[in-house]
Amino acid sequence: MSDDARGTVPPALSVPELLAPAGGPAEFNAALAAGADAIYCGFGTTFNARRGAQSFDSSSFEEACRRAHLVGAHVYVTVNVVIRDDELPSVLALIRRAWLLGADAFIIQDWGLLQEVRTRWPQIPCHVSTQANVHDARGVAWCRELGADRVTVSRELSIAELGRLAQEGVPIECFCHGAICICYSGVCQMSSSVGDRSANRGACAQPCRLPYELIDGQGRVLSSPDRGRPLCPKDYYSFDALPELIDAGVASLKVEGRLKGPDYVHAVISSYRAQLDDLAQGHESGPQELSARRTRLKRAFNRDFTDAYLRGTSNDELMSYERSNNRGELVGEVIRSQHMGTVKVRRGGGGGGRARLRTSSVVEVDVRLDKPVEKGDLLELRPVTDPTQFVTAHAQENADAGAVTTCRTTRMLEAGSLVRVIRSQRAMDEGERAANSEIPRRRPVHVRVRARLGEPFLVELSTIDGSVRAHATGFVVEKARTRAVSESDLISHVGRMGATWFEPVGFLVELDDGCGMGFSAVHEVRAAACDALEQALLAPYQERSLEGAPSREAIRLGLRVPSADAEHRFDGVEIAALVTDPQAARAACEAGATRLYAIPHALEHGAWPRGVIPVLDEVCREQDHGRLDHWVRRDEPVAVGNVSELALAHARGARAEVRGSVPVHNLSCLRAMEEAGAAGVWLSSELSLDEIAILAHGARVPVGLLAYSFARAMTTEHCVLQVANRCVHDCARCALRKQATYLRGDANERFRVQTDAQGRSRVYAPRVLDLVPSVPRLFEAGVTRLLVDGTFMDPAEVASAVSRLRNAIEAHAQGKPLPRSVKGSTTGHLFSPIG
């Protein structure tokens, strides 16, 4: 898309930035061509949440930045993963390098990295990633006070919530299109609970897209037969909500898709660009325009669309229970298929293997179309009775809605089989052209031409907003010897900018009567003016400087980290227990627990012993304040699950203990938490023993670790129990919530599911985490609090687990053998670090 349309947007009408994904240079070009205001991408392949994307090296990144800046777009680099302590120097060096090459901002998840960048290089804009799990105004305000230039908030928020957050004085970025993670971003450990790949390290294995059955404690299937993927949501869609998002005041609309190709990027960005431009200009999009844009979106990769979160819901309308792959657009159905014979097809032979001839059927399939198709479109033909037996074929011709078109497949298909376009040939062609374009779009400029007798001929170019201008002069203007040049002559010849990055949209010509000149000389001045404007646009980036990235020793020195041989100042160990009722609390105390924890909902019922510490949620949205905030009290301990609750605890003078849902993976992050008022830190179960030791020995506050339990793997706004198709939409009356339920995967692994009174589900790891036999190693590493999580234990089981932990501690002190690991348990990543 040419940028001249952008030049007509009235400056008084403000629409959000349209932010496009780019996995590599081809997608970057496609985003520019489609009209993106900004593009986010990785630099290198290590420290970003899409390690599988092609990404950019120094050369390709510098060129991408140059292209973007010439057309007025910005480039944001993703550093949206948690950072290990030993990686900080490398990550800071990467940020420094990308900044000097032209990056405009960095998208950061890790609070320690954010602190380091803001402290060392305050001139570098930092955007808080959605991976940081910020979802209320208090959390946004906390980011603002840290110096964040933008906050990307959780996908789960409604339009009303977005409007509230936009009032906090820092620009709000929200997702507008693309894939949805069913778990709140930044707190998912589902992938690492079943392997060595972590979503928080950019290597999610996407187990949420796999099939599962919901079962009860006896193994009976509770899932509805047609709901095989209980953790697989549809794709985010805000196309029809754009006016409301503009009114809400969001600053940036982000399209997900750094693993998608140029065709997807171009199709989605061009559709949203056209719609935003219409809204900005007060133009009411016509039915044909709207239909074309929606069709373009549907024929780009999608799992069907939902705007449920924006509308404040998260029920079945959010979910793609039936399938996790591309649905495309439904365009018709099969009315007849006929076997036409067989052919010999050569298959195999890849990798040096021997190719074989195989017999394949040829079937002609007639399709009645409800919507048009174009030659080359990839069609999916899916039987109604057994949808798994689908086939694909290419459309052989252009055909309109209402027509019958014929394609060839390898299998007979029943009448009524559904036909979808899952890849548009037009989108593929447009994406490829954009990806390979030397100049994917041109920047609109105003042109001033001055031709005064006796003065140098001048061409001045300026950007639409007037922020950058440049000029060139050339020959001295003389009287015409034959025909004098006209204003239209100068507009025609100066306006020939086809081989440049610029496109003239307005002219001011100052011309004396009777001027004569050769047009080749005019072209030279025009070319020089274009070169001068290029230089002026790129100059601010070329003039950048930045002090060098620090070494690990320099970082540790700045944090005043104790030396390795310094004596740790926390004596002994505290046995902690998370319990669900007063009986379990008393049982834990009698068994030797010295710290007790419980969630607020449990604390509201029964006669609890004094001193039980509230454990607040990892999610705290505006509507959660009423039930959570009153548990944060001056001089009393409270376990907080996100930065909003940490900010509240600091403001009220409470003794906050940061839960593992706020990932602390490096000393800079640990120090940031301490400076924000943390009186204790509970570390993530994704950490290795060596990583734990670095943090625990560098801490100024007690450091805790989950020692025995099923670790939380996922927190979802959607109630996973809805896969049973029995929802009464009243969580207080839901009988299913009171049962023991599990998700059973294809390998027969069982993930416990628990849904709270707010309808949020938590999914737990399939194997119990048992670090009790590793107590000596944990003591040596500096851990001073060990937790037994009794969420799924009765009082007797809590007492048994706490006693086992206490006995292990005493056995270690006395030099006696420690208990063996529980059968079928895991040590998580204590001895098998995540990459």
Side-chain angles (χ1 to χ4, degrees):
M1 175 181 176
S2 144
D3 211 23
D4 55 349
R6 305 299 318 284
T8 64
V9 176
L13 295 178
S14 177
V15 297
E17 169 190 88
L18 180 57
L19 178 55
E27 293 79 18
F28 196 100
N29 247 19
L32 285 181
D37 297 306
I39 300 170
Y40 67 102
C41 61
F43 179 49
T45 57
T46 306
F47 301 118
N48 70 83
R50 294 293 183 270
R51 283 160 62 176
Q54 177 188 353
S55 199
F56 293 80
D57 58 18
S58 291
S59 176
S60 59
F61 182 74
E62 183 176 30
E63 173 59 19
C65 289
R66 187 185 77 87
R67 288 169 169 250
H69 297 151
L70 286 174
V71 300
H74 293 106
V75 181
Y76 307 145
V77 174
T78 53
V79 200
N80 51 345
V81 292
V82 293
I83 307 298
R84 295 198 306 255
D85 195 72
D86 62 345
E87 294 173 334
L88 267 175
S90 298
V91 178
L92 290 169
L94 177 146
I95 288 174
R96 179 181 184 274
R97 177 66 174 154
W99 175 255
L100 294 176
L101 290 174
D104 292 288
F106 294 85
I107 303 171
I108 295 174
Q109 172 186 3
D110 192 286
W111 299 112
L113 179 60
L114 178 65
Q115 187 91 319
E116 289 288 342
V117 175
R118 298 304 302 144
T119 300
R120 296 178 185 282
W121 303 313
Q123 67 270 50
I124 294 182
C126 295
H127 298 175
V128 172
S129 169
T130 190
Q131 288 287 113
N133 194 32
V134 177
H135 28 55
D136 71 344
R138 196 164 56 213
V140 170
W142 194 77
C143 296
R144 181 192 66 219
E145 295 306 309
L146 289 181
D149 297 277
R150 178 184 293 185
V151 179
T152 311
V153 295
S154 298
R155 291 173 174 87
E156 288 81 355
L157 303 188
S158 68
I159 292 173
E161 288 174 286
L162 291 170
R164 171 65 187 90
L165 271 56
Q167 298 171 20
E168 286 302 312
V170 59
I172 295 298
E173 176 179 300
C174 69
F175 282 88
C176 70
H177 195 91
I180 298 173
C181 295
I182 190 63
C183 181
Y184 273 89
S185 294
V187 299
C188 185
Q189 297 185 6
M190 186 78 166
S191 182
S192 65
S193 75
V194 294
D196 60 357
R197 296 172 58 181
S198 168
N200 286 320
R201 295 282 294 168
C204 182
Q206 296 196 345
C208 53
R209 300 294 182 187
L210 298 176
Y212 299 94
E213 291 177 316
L214 184 72
I215 60 172
D216 64 14
Q218 287 71 50
R220 293 173 296 203
V221 176
L222 303 174
S223 301
S224 181
D226 58 345
R227 299 186 175 198
R229 298 178 190 269
L231 301 177
C232 182
K234 298 175 183 176
D235 284 3
Y236 207 105
Y237 177 83
S238 71
F239 184 82
D240 297 318
L242 291 178
E244 296 161 88
L245 289 169
I246 293 171
D247 289 342
V250 298
S252 180
L253 297 172
K254 186 175 198 171
V255 173
E256 182 277 337
R258 280 201 294 130
L259 294 179
K260 303 292 201 308
D263 58 311
Y264 176 90
V265 173
H266 190 271
V268 173
I269 296 301
S270 60
S271 297
Y272 276 85
R273 177 76 279 151
Q275 194 69 5
L276 285 170
D277 285 350
D278 279 356
L279 290 168
Q281 299 168 36
H283 169 69
E284 184 175 352
S285 307
Q288 289 185 326
E289 293 171 313
L290 288 172
S291 175
R293 292 165 193 169
R294 291 186 180 118
T295 295
R296 194 183 299 133
L297 291 172
K298 290 176 183 176
R299 297 189 181 188
F301 183 101
N302 72 86
R303 300 176 181 89
D304 203 356
F305 293 128
T306 180
D307 63 354
Y309 283 150
L310 289 174
R311 303 305 172 191
T313 68
S314 57
N315 299 311
D316 289 340
E317 68 275 9
L318 178 73
M319 303 305 294
S320 178
Y321 290 126
E322 304 87 358
R323 57 192 291 186
S324 62
N325 59 352
N326 183 16
R327 290 176 183 245
E329 182 181 34
L330 184 64
V331 295
E333 64 177 40
V334 171
I335 57 174
R336 184 188 71 91
S337 61
Q338 180 177 356
H339 189 271
M340 305 300 292
T342 60
V343 294
K344 295 290 185 179
V345 179
R346 189 177 299 276
R347 293 180 179 173
R354 185 176 179 180
R356 296 181 180 181
L357 287 175
R358 296 180 183 271
T359 300
S360 178
S361 296
V362 178
V363 176
E364 278 195 353
V365 178
D366 291 340
V367 177
R368 178 179 288 116
L369 295 173
D370 299 318
K371 296 184 178 178
V373 299
E374 296 182 339
K375 183 177 181 180
D377 286 349
L378 182 62
L379 307 178
E380 177 199 83
L381 300 90
R382 187 173 287 256
V384 175
T385 54
D386 187 359
T388 63
Q389 299 301 308
F390 68 90
V391 295
T392 59
H394 286 94
Q396 301 298 307
E397 59 186 351
N398 294 341
D400 295 328
V404 173
T405 187
T406 301
C407 58
R408 289 194 167 191
T409 71
T410 58
R411 187 182 305 147
M412 294 288 288
L413 291 160
E414 60 188 305
S417 296
L418 300 179
V419 181
R420 297 173 178 271
V421 172
I422 59 172
R423 192 180 69 200
S424 161
Q425 187 60 47
R426 180 196 295 260
M428 294 290 292
D429 293 342
E430 291 175 349
E432 183 177 6
R433 283 195 298 271
N436 295 324
S437 175
E438 284 299 316
I439 301 178
R441 93 174 186 231
R442 291 181 169 81
R443 186 170 191 164
V445 293
H446 289 303
V447 183
R448 183 169 74 95
V449 181
R450 189 179 68 198
R452 301 292 189 193
L453 290 170
E455 296 180 10
F457 182 76
L458 176 143
V459 173
E460 181 185 76
L461 307 179
S462 60
T463 56
I464 292 298
D465 61 3
S467 61
V468 181
R469 63 183 67 239
H471 72 273
T473 57
F475 58 90
V476 174
V477 179
E478 299 177 348
K479 274 195 167 293
R481 297 176 183 174
T482 53
R483 187 180 74 87
V485 298
S486 66
E487 179 176 320
S488 61
D489 290 333
L490 291 178
I491 290 174
S492 172
H493 285 272
V494 175
R496 296 176 185 176
M497 299 182 185
T500 75
W501 286 89
F502 308 115
E503 183 171 7
V505 294
F507 283 86
L508 173 63
V509 179
E510 303 169 10
L511 175 63
D512 285 347
D513 293 337
C515 292
M517 60 194 71
F519 291 130
S520 61
V522 170
H523 299 164
E524 290 180 6
V525 179
R526 177 205 64 210
C530 290
D531 289 342
L533 184 57
E534 276 197 30
Q535 294 171 19
L537 290 167
L538 299 176
Y541 300 94
Q542 296 166 346
E543 294 166 0
R544 284 178 173 176
S545 63
L546 210 62
E547 66 179 54
S551 65
R552 191 180 185 195
E553 290 71 25
I555 294 172
R556 293 172 68 87
L557 183 64
L559 297 172
R560 299 188 296 280
V561 177
S563 62
D565 57 354
E567 184 178 350
H568 201 270
R569 66 185 186 86
F570 302 111
D571 298 323
V573 65
E574 294 180 281
I575 298 176
L578 174 62
V579 294
T580 59
D581 58 50
Q583 294 76 23
R586 285 188 283 272
C589 286
E590 292 169 3
T594 55
R595 289 180 86 80
L596 295 178
Y597 297 83
I599 63 172
H601 181 72
L603 288 172
E604 292 169 355
H605 303 88
W608 287 81
R610 295 184 62 185
V612 180
I613 300 168
V615 178
L616 304 189
D617 298 3
E618 56 275 14
V619 176
C620 184
R621 291 165 63 175
E622 297 296 324
Q623 59 265 36
D624 296 310
H625 290 186
R627 65 182 181 86
L628 295 177
D629 287 3
H630 68 277
W631 294 101
V632 181
R633 299 161 182 165
R634 183 172 185 81
D635 294 328
E636 293 186 13
V638 58
V640 299
N642 53 71
V643 295
S644 169
E645 294 162 351
L646 177 61
L648 178 63
H650 183 64
R652 291 187 177 179
R655 301 200 304 274
E657 299 176 19
V658 173
R659 292 178 52 203
S661 52
V662 181
V664 176
H665 285 236
N666 57 72
L667 287 167
S668 296
C669 186
L670 175 63
R671 201 64 81 236
M673 294 297 106
E674 292 170 344
E675 292 173 359
V681 173
W682 292 89
L683 296 180
S684 166
S685 56
E686 288 193 336
L687 291 168
S688 70
L689 185 65
D690 290 341
E691 293 166 331
I692 290 167
I694 290 170
L695 295 167
H697 285 297
R700 299 169 180 167
V701 298
V703 170
L705 196 67
L706 178 64
Y708 185 79
S709 184
F710 291 94
R712 184 197 59 80
M714 180 181 285
T715 301
T716 72
E717 187 66 23
H718 169 73
C719 175
V720 176
L721 302 180
Q722 291 192 27
V723 72
N725 199 19
R726 302 182 194 171
C727 186
V728 296
H729 301 288
D730 184 349
C731 295
R733 294 194 302 110
C734 177
L736 202 54
R737 279 185 57 232
K738 300 175 176 64
Q739 298 183 35
T741 54
Y742 303 81
L743 291 178
R744 181 170 62 193
D746 286 344
N748 205 36
E749 70 276 35
R750 296 186 177 198
F751 301 82
R752 184 68 183 263
V753 178
Q754 184 183 64
T755 295
D756 64 20
Q758 286 66 53
R760 292 186 186 124
S761 290
R762 287 167 181 82
V763 179
Y764 292 82
R767 297 170 64 192
V768 66
L769 180 72
D770 184 13
L771 303 187
V772 174
S774 302
V775 157
R777 305 289 297 275
L778 298 176
F779 286 177
E780 184 181 340
V783 175
T784 54
R785 288 176 180 163
L786 293 172
L787 176 70
V788 171
D789 183 346
T791 298
F792 302 116
M793 300 179 193
D794 62 28
E797 291 168 329
V798 169
S800 175
V802 170
S803 295
R804 180 169 174 264
L805 176 56
R806 186 201 66 212
N807 292 339
I809 294 170
E810 292 174 352
H812 170 60
Q814 299 167 12
K816 295 180 179 179
L818 276 78
R820 294 187 176 184
S821 299
V822 171
K823 185 178 180 180
S825 64
T826 178
T827 55
H829 297 282
L830 197 67
F831 306 111
S832 56
I834 290 171

